[in-house]
Amino acid sequence: MIKILLYEDNAPLREGLSMLFNGTEGFSVVGAFQNCTQVLQQVTQLSPDVILMDIDMPGVGGIAGLKLIRSQFDKMKVVMLTVFDDNQNVLEAMQAGADGYLLKKTPPAKLLEAIVDVYEGGAPMTSSVARQVLQLFAHQTPKATAPQYQLSDREKEVLHWLVNGYSYKMVAAQLFISLETVRSHVKKIYEKLQVNSKSEAVAKAFKDNIL
């Protein structure tokens, strides 16, 4: 059972998402709120597996809420669900440590798949958002000397598949290694890149031309 915590200020949409997840086997909504004013207390009390969060909410919005979560729960899975796919919001969400970025027009079946994906270690991203990410880093001026992170060949392989949106299970199958071995490599990648989430690792891979 994947426990989901929702943050969405649009009441009909919040109720609709709750009905979708609660009505689907393998999913359960443990809480649904209109903003992130009490986010740390709620995450602590409800212990969700995945947080689905809107960006534009009154009071404490999604980006601020995400930063609060990362300050205390660096491994918590957080997916942004929003109408915005502009550069600024995508970049801010990635820099703040979002594990995925989906648009509200995402079909219900795809949304369910994305929640399972992030739960298993993936980084779901709407195709239009993925293009934004590629464009963001493609237009950045390369540094004269790229940082040396001393990643092993195997760690680079793992990072390559993460950049391509693969979940930990998919990476394990692709490289014919165990899931625990993938997790061990990811931990080392995070340490060497000095990041705390998959989105940060992917962003740094693009920015510093690691692969």
Side-chain angles (χ1 to χ4, degrees):
M1 182 70 70
I2 300 177
K3 297 182 294 182
I4 301 169
L5 179 57
L6 296 175
Y7 287 95
E8 168 60 59
D9 66 312
N10 183 309
L13 178 56
R14 188 169 66 245
E15 292 169 6
L17 289 170
S18 296
M19 291 177 63
L20 170 66
F21 291 123
N22 286 328
T24 304
E25 185 177 358
F27 298 86
S28 175
V29 174
V30 295
F33 304 96
Q34 65 178 355
N35 61 35
C36 297
T37 303
Q38 302 294 326
V39 65
L40 292 181
Q41 179 181 346
Q42 290 158 351
V43 172
T44 299
Q45 292 178 343
L46 300 172
S47 299
D49 297 310
V50 178
I51 296 174
L52 194 59
M53 181 176 289
D54 186 17
I55 285 183
D56 188 23
M57 295 181 287
V60 180
I63 299 296
L66 175 57
K67 291 178 179 178
L68 285 170
I69 292 169
R70 284 286 170 258
S71 72
Q72 299 291 326
F73 306 94
D74 60 340
K75 303 301 183 185
M76 179 62 64
K77 308 292 188 182
V78 183
V79 178
M80 311 309 288
L81 182 66
T82 177
V83 296
F84 301 111
D85 64 351
D86 59 276
N87 283 351
Q88 189 60 38
N89 280 289
V90 171
L91 184 59
E92 285 187 11
M94 289 191 65
Q95 290 176 331
D99 294 290
Y101 198 111
L102 304 172
L103 298 184
K104 289 184 179 180
K105 62 183 180 182
T106 301
K110 292 291 185 182
L111 183 57
L112 293 171
E113 288 178 10
I115 295 299
V116 173
D117 185 19
V118 75
Y119 177 73
E120 294 180 344
M125 194 172 290
T126 300
S127 59
S128 63
V129 174
R131 286 195 296 271
Q132 294 269 11
V133 172
L134 291 174
Q135 291 170 2
L136 279 171
F137 295 107
H139 289 94
Q140 288 191 0
T141 303
K143 295 182 179 179
T145 303
Q148 300 299 311
Y149 294 106
Q150 306 301 321
L151 295 181
S152 68
D153 290 340
R154 179 60 93 184
E155 288 164 357
K156 287 182 179 179
E157 285 184 291
V158 171
L159 181 58
H160 165 79
W161 292 115
L162 294 181
V163 166
N164 282 277
Y166 278 48
S167 67
Y168 290 1
K169 285 185 178 179
M170 294 168 69
V171 174
Q174 186 70 32
L175 298 179
F176 302 102
I177 58 179
S178 71
L179 186 59
E180 286 306 312
T181 300
V182 172
R183 290 196 175 106
S184 177
H185 284 312
V186 170
K187 181 179 179 181
K188 291 177 181 177
I189 290 169
Y190 284 6
E191 290 174 353
K192 291 181 179 181
L193 299 187
Q194 297 182 339
V195 299
N196 296 306
S197 72
K198 182 177 295 183
S199 60
E200 288 181 283
V202 170
K204 184 162 284 191
F206 277 115
K207 182 179 179 182
D208 292 340
N209 197 26
I210 294 172
L211 301 177

